[in-house]
Amino acid sequence: MSSAELLALQLLWLGPTAAKKDKPEISSHKFDNAPSNFFYFDDSNTILLHDREGGVVHRSEDAGKTWDKVDIEGKAWDLWRHPQDNRKAYILGKGSTHWHTNDQGKTWKDFEIPNPKARPSLFRAPLAFHAKDSNKVLIHGEICRIGGLICEETTFYTNNGFETVAKLRKDTRGCVFAHATPEFETGDDDKNDDRIICVTTGRVSSLDRRQHKLAVSDNYFEDEEEPSLEGDRTVQGIINIAVVKGYLVAAARAPRTDELALYVTDDARTWHRAVFPSDSRLKEDAYTILESTSYSIQVDVMTVDPPNPMGVLFTSNSNGTYFTKNIPHTNRNMNGIVDFEKVQGIQGIVIVNVVNNFEEVEGSYGREEKELKSQISFDDGRTFKDLKADKESLHLHSVTEMKNIGRVFSSPAPGLIMGVGNTGKNLRSYEEGDLWVSDDAGLTWRQALEEAHKYEFGDQGSILVAVYDEGPTDIVQYSLNHGKKWHKVDLPDGKIRAKALTTTPDSTSMKFFLWGTKGGGSNTEHWVFSIDFEDMHEGQCKEGDFQKWYARYDDDGNPSCIMGRKQFFKRRKADADCFIRDKNFEEVEPDFEVCECTKEDFECDYNFVKSEDGKDCVRDGPLPDPKGVCKGDTKKYKASSGFRKIPGNGCKGGKDREKEIERPCGDTLKPPVSGEINTERTAFPAKSFRAYFYLERTESSSESKKDRKDETVIMRTDKSEVYISRDHGKTWDQILKGKKIKNIYPHPHFNDVCYFITDEDVHYYTINRGDSFGHFDAPSEPTRDRDLQTLGFHADYKDWLIWTGAVDCNKKGGCHNNAWYSTDRGGHWEYLRRYVRKCEFIKIEGHGDKENLVYCESFKGEKLSGPLQLQWSDNWFAKPHDLFENIVDFATMSEFIIVATRDKTDTDSLKVDASVDGQTFADALFPPNFNVPVQKAYTVLDSHTHAVFMHVTVGNTKNAEYGSIIKSNSNGTSYVLSLDSVNRNTPGYVDFEKMLGLEGVALVNVVANIEDAEKGNGKKLKTMITHNDGAEWSPLKAPQQDLEGKPYECKTDNNADCSLHLHGYTERRDPRSVYSSPSAVGLMMAVGNVGEYLTDKSETTSDTFITRDGGVEWHAVKKGNYMWEYGDQGSVIVIVRDTVSTDEIFYSLDEGKTWIPYRFSKKKVHVAILSTVPSDTSLNFLLWGQEEDSDSKIVTFNLDFSQLKERERQCNLKENEPDDPKSDYYLWEPKHLSDSNCLFGHVAQYHRKIVDRECFNGRSIQQLHNITRHCECTRVDFECDYNYEPAKDGSCKLVSGLEPPDHSQVCKEDPKKTSYYLPTGYRRVRLSTCKGGNQLDKYAEEPCPGHEKDFEERRRGLGGFWLFILAVVFPIGIASAVGYWVWQNWDNRFGKIRLGDQGSAFDAERPWIKYPIAAVSGVVAVLAAVPLLVGSLWRWVSGMFGGGTRYTTRGSFARGRGDYAVVDEDELLGEDDDEEV
């Protein structure tokens, strides 16, 4: 063959491949349904696309040019990519079978979750990954029963790439590996490689979010411990956890606040609480953790609420504990998304959008439309400047308006940024925007294309692609020179509406993926396009085509430093006629030049904080003691300068700000305690105190900017002047000077909020415990009805108010109440209802789907002479719904609403209806043997046990009133008798009190001489106690001897004739003088006597007693009547004489075993009130009184016990090692009256301070440690069933003439139920968790009608274990309302409501329930499942189809003391006057 022929052959052979193209190749593919998810595997052209509607996953190996279906058609419910391993992905099915791939989807292998009923979680990301070992994955699942109504969240795990899957832990609320990100380091990788942190439910209730806690395990929860988050204390109320770069963050919320606490760790072992500036507070659903760096966390905190929210951006120090403000007025949307993005791959450059007209938006409560402008920072957020395009300010649409997938502005292509926006004063609509580009990391900008486009970066920035985004298009445009010049290429198959444009995550590919739609409605078609630049004629770039490009420049145009280094890249020149063509998909890595150290390279060291001017670091408390240095005459030592170089900072030279300096040895010491009680007296120019309230910090509240450990008290005098103290009464300042404050309303659900009602049109409030005050104009004057509240509050939204005001009062006979509502703290008011008596927001636990549900009592026909009707609305009464006519009143509780109405057949009698959802009511069925011919009054009593306790007045003779306590079933409609002859007083209040901190313990006084009392001979009262929630009552066991060691006159071994009797609620002058404390578990104090009956409350006949074991054993502590308060969770108890002037108090440091006198005044003082913070955790107390020789001044005395040497050191709590000899606590088990420690079918252990340990408790401890075991069932675990009553021998007998209840009714209520048990006369106490033993409620099992066959098969097929599970465990329910749970609900301690009364009970204008309660806490299982059900349904559809406390103006209703007694509007000291509203 000749050479010419050979050349021709070679050219012929090379022809097809050598002919390069001058435009990209575009191919298309049509799908049946819209993609629900798609992604590239990193460093590849392989794409997975999920069609959820069809249950199909498609795969392409050539960036979308060709597609194949994964062979699991119709089963794919969700698709996930492993974030670190580019080989792995996961397809989740709807059931327990799922699939995983280890080769980018070429092959798939199925795996099973161990429980066949488990499905992927609908409430959180179903998968959590280990960043350093891709074989380790957590699976969040849920196991549902009762038709999906109740779901239990359970987490599973694999540590071998799904070869096996095992259960990790049940009752989880989200779990993460400590190594969830590549940046996170535990410090000991071998030991902590498997460390997992979970949010778990509480020890007692899985339904109470306030009990959620952290649990940590290094061996997949074979063992676990609860980490200490604040010192040695664990924290409850954990709502979320997240791993952010090198930090693990947990958020916690305490009850009675919307403020959150953030806890941060950078090693998964040592935690710190994040400290924000005092004027910035984190709130739930009001903060966003943003994309952070390896050396700081960025958090945006919402400052203006929706509908136009704004925020403030904060940046932390290197360990995530101290945050400083970077930029205010950041733009947020309703979902918490913030206009914030870091330029990818370049340190220190951030683009944000801020609100330009922030003052107008703040002043309008978010109603003013926001005007946005864009700003950029080149120094990690320390300073910001405008974006500039030809000297004009440029504004870009950001993260809150996502128009594409992935990052908004940048990619790994170094320095290339694009965005849609406009120049001018502020950002206009997206449709008015153009496409802009910057190739110097945002320093300068130029217009790329007119009108808005979606855009993407490829080939490390050498290719920019854009597609029109304001309507249909058939064109794609691209630029090969950083956006200076653009080329067009046609799309095949006509015009599309672009939905997404993307490429590989690292922007190294030359192929792009476009998804768009054609048509609309049911004719919508879904198309994807592959845009391939690989065959274009540009060659591969050579060395001369690249430049050294510095990432950041200062104002002088010089390369700038971040973290001690200048960052630069080897980057393709903009005009280079080449492609990088990296077949290995390697993204550009930066290089660095070391900088000289400056002040920006240092941060404050541990135990130091920034000075007020931010220029220095100052001590924050004592420094660590240098061992062996500060001894003898040594006065100085070498210690930290206060600065340290930021970890990871690479600077060298310059000024060494972290060089140690000489410090005085005194810096290492805490100031020595004085050993004495400190007293501060303050006199006020007034005759009486009218009201005082504690605005107590919660556990998650931030510190006041005025006092780091504030204990805030607000007080009003008879002169309508208001004073505030931030230090528990040591110092006082008058606030709102010149304003006459007629009423103070602390928010019953948010401790930081308080309202002040004046005698003018303008009223005031604080939302930060008195740090600052705002004002609002009222729509009318306050109501003139002294029995009603002017303001009503929402349980969840602190700015939502109802105003009840008087109108037409200048017209003869026309004065009546109207109601208005506001959702912006009184900024704007809207009419709610006319001619009302009262309106209330209704919040029922388990039914939170109607957040604006409101009840109103209004006069029918808008006539005051008409009957009261009860209506509800969930649309602000645009459409009211009638509930009842001729009502007396209603009571709202956590689970129930109880309504008292006049009986239609006998208007002199009342009847009761109950509801668990606020809309559907049922008649309350009283016990059949409970015959009260005319029901005149009810008192709804406190209960935290899934049941209503109600006192029904039986005897209504004045001064001889008594009644019966009845107890309901779980929906408040069916009642059984608990106890007869229970004492009440004329106003309707009952001698009934629950013990705080222990489940099921209550005390009552009963009338022992009913017939004589009704004849006017006076009541003879006896005190009774129950330890099993009212199922059994017994006399109170008397002490064996009196204070002098002598036996009592009566024989104390005969409880019937010689027992302890206590003065109860009906005699109490101050409703807060409760027997017990929510934080001093097991302790109660009371005044009473030993004998056959309760005697008069006099100095000669009454003594003061204490119990330390929950009411089993009592001891006399002082002769006479004393008031008492618990401090520091019971480590200090203070008592002071009641009704007798005195100059001394007594205190005990050993739970009342010994008492030490202390003289607090040189003069005798008539002490009216002894108070402390409602949680009883303070070492400060307040005496309120009047000195004997002064009739014109009132005084307070602050008593500070923090300087006692016995309380100098904080107690050491070893939560996870309770038996550690170094612990200052022991585990205490409460006992029933028998020798057993079983209470409600289990043995509970509580942390209690060892009495003789000289230390203070400090922060509230989590008192309930554990449920150690479940006990066998005994009689005390059961109460009498409906139609049965207690016999004299304690058994339950059928009421004469009645039939046993029909238990087959459960079959009708639950059609899936196959069997029921015949009645035995007993039903299980709802709190009991007993197992085995005497199953008094199980006698004979019968099949439900229609399920006889299933019943027989089940009985033949089930073994003994499963019979036990079905017959015993399932009916148990959830144990609730123990220890710490009650502390979290102390605002509802023993609130009661009167429903009806005697005599003038039928005066239509008289309020029978003056102050509502929140009596029943906890939620029954079905009710609690409702929010889960709602969430499940929503997710299922998307998957298939794409009671608060009321307050009077009296000071006794201090913050948080949820009370039921209504005390007359008299003052604490002095005479009443006419100023009251």
Side-chain angles (χ1 to χ4, degrees), residues 1148-1180:
S1148 175
L1149 304 179
D1150 56 7
E1151 296 185 347
K1153 295 179 180 177
T1154 59
W1155 294 90
I1156 305 167
Y1158 171 73
R1159 188 181 182 191
F1160 66 87
S1161 174
K1162 296 178 181 179
K1163 300 177 181 179
K1164 294 281 187 179
V1165 179
H1166 174 67
V1167 179
I1169 296 293
L1170 167 63
S1171 70
T1172 187
V1173 296
S1175 62
D1176 295 333
T1177 56
S1178 175
L1179 282 166
N1180 283 263

Side-chain angles (χ1 to χ4, degrees), residues 727-887:
D727 50 16
H728 210 137
K730 293 175 183 175
T731 59
W732 293 87
D733 296 304
Q734 187 178 351
I735 57 175
L736 303 175
K737 292 182 179 180
K739 307 297 180 183
K740 286 203 168 190
I741 306 302
K742 309 305 292 184
N743 273 305
I744 301 177
Y745 290 107
H747 200 300
H749 310 290
F750 296 92
N751 284 11
D752 299 339
V753 183
C754 189
Y755 286 81
F756 304 85
I757 306 303
T758 71
D759 58 357
E760 302 173 352
D761 294 333
V762 179
H763 310 278
Y764 298 87
Y765 63 83
T766 177
I767 60 171
N768 48 26
R769 299 191 305 279
D771 273 356
S772 60
F773 294 87
H775 62 84
F776 67 92
D777 293 326
S780 74
E781 67 171 278
T783 177
R784 294 190 179 186
D785 191 334
R786 292 170 60 120
D787 294 317
L788 296 178
Q789 278 199 163
T790 297
L791 282 177
F793 302 93
H794 196 284
D796 295 329
Y797 300 102
K798 69 182 181 185
D799 294 338
W800 288 25
L801 303 172
I802 292 177
W803 177 277
T804 303
V807 297
D808 297 336
C809 293
N810 295 326
K811 300 178 182 179
K812 186 176 180 180
C815 192
H816 62 274
N817 290 329
N818 288 350
W820 293 260
Y821 73 92
S822 172
T823 58
D824 57 9
R825 213 179 305 143
H828 299 80
W829 294 98
E830 301 290 343
Y831 248 117
L832 187 65
R833 208 77 180 134
R834 291 167 49 85
Y835 280 86
V836 303
R837 196 174 77 85
K838 70 174 182 179
C839 294
E840 289 185 12
F841 291 110
I842 301 299
K843 172 68 184 294
I844 305 176
E845 289 188 9
H847 291 268
D849 54 326
K850 293 187 180 296
E851 59 187 18
N852 53 349
L853 180 63
V854 176
Y855 274 25
C856 279
E857 295 178 3
S858 58
F859 292 95
K860 190 172 184 180
E862 296 189 356
K863 295 180 181 179
L864 295 178
S865 59
L868 270 179
Q869 58 183 359
L870 183 61
Q871 297 176 309
W872 70 268
S873 172
D874 58 5
N875 58 7
W876 309 117
F877 280 88
K879 184 180 180 181
H881 301 269
D882 295 334
L883 281 174
F884 295 96
E885 287 195 9
N886 216 6
I887 74 162

Side-chain angles (χ1 to χ4, degrees), residues 32-103:
D32 295 334
N33 303 301
S36 55
N37 184 19
F38 54 84
F39 56 78
Y40 279 85
F41 286 99
D42 200 11
D43 297 338
S44 78
N45 283 316
T46 302
I47 305 175
L48 291 184
L49 183 149
H50 179 215
D51 169 7
R52 176 171 288 174
E53 186 173 346
V56 177
V57 172
H58 302 268
R59 181 177 182 269
S60 172
E61 286 189 346
D62 49 16
K65 186 175 183 179
T66 59
W67 294 88
D68 296 305
K69 288 183 179 179
V70 175
D71 189 23
I72 52 170
E73 191 166 351
K75 302 176 183 178
W77 181 80
D78 208 354
L79 175 66
W80 285 78
R81 175 177 63 92
H82 198 290
Q84 279 83 37
D85 192 328
N86 67 350
R87 303 164 299 160
K88 296 185 176 181
Y90 311 90
I91 296 174
L92 302 181
K94 295 178 181 178
S96 60
T97 303
H98 314 283
W99 298 264
H100 68 99
T101 179
N102 295 322
D103 53 13

Side-chain angles (χ1 to χ4, degrees), residues 342-350 413-417 440-441 549 551-552 567 569:
K342 289 182 173 293
V343 173
Q344 190 173 2
I346 300 177
Q347 286 182 320
I349 302 182
V350 180
L416 271 294
I417 309 176
D440 54 11
W549 178 79
R552 293 171 310 278
Q567 187 181 29
F569 294 84

Side-chain angles (χ1 to χ4, degrees), residues 1069 1087 1097-1102 1104 1119-1123 1135-1146 1160-1161 1163-1170 1183-1188 1197 1468-1469:
R1069 184 177 72 252
V1087 172
K1097 191 176 182 181
S1098 67
E1099 287 296 310
T1100 58
T1101 60
S1102 295
T1104 303
K1119 288 281 188 183
N1121 300 330
Y1122 282 80
M1123 293 181 282
I1135 61 175
V1136 66
R1137 295 296 293 269
D1138 190 9
T1139 71
V1140 177
S1141 294
T1142 183
D1143 59 1
E1144 69 176 358
I1145 56 99
F1146 293 87
F1160 66 87
S1161 174
K1163 300 177 181 179
K1164 294 281 187 179
V1165 179
H1166 174 67
V1167 179
I1169 296 293
L1170 167 63
L1183 300 174
W1184 307 75
Q1186 190 172 43
E1187 292 171 339
E1188 275 194 339
F1197 292 87
L1468 301 181
L1469 294 171

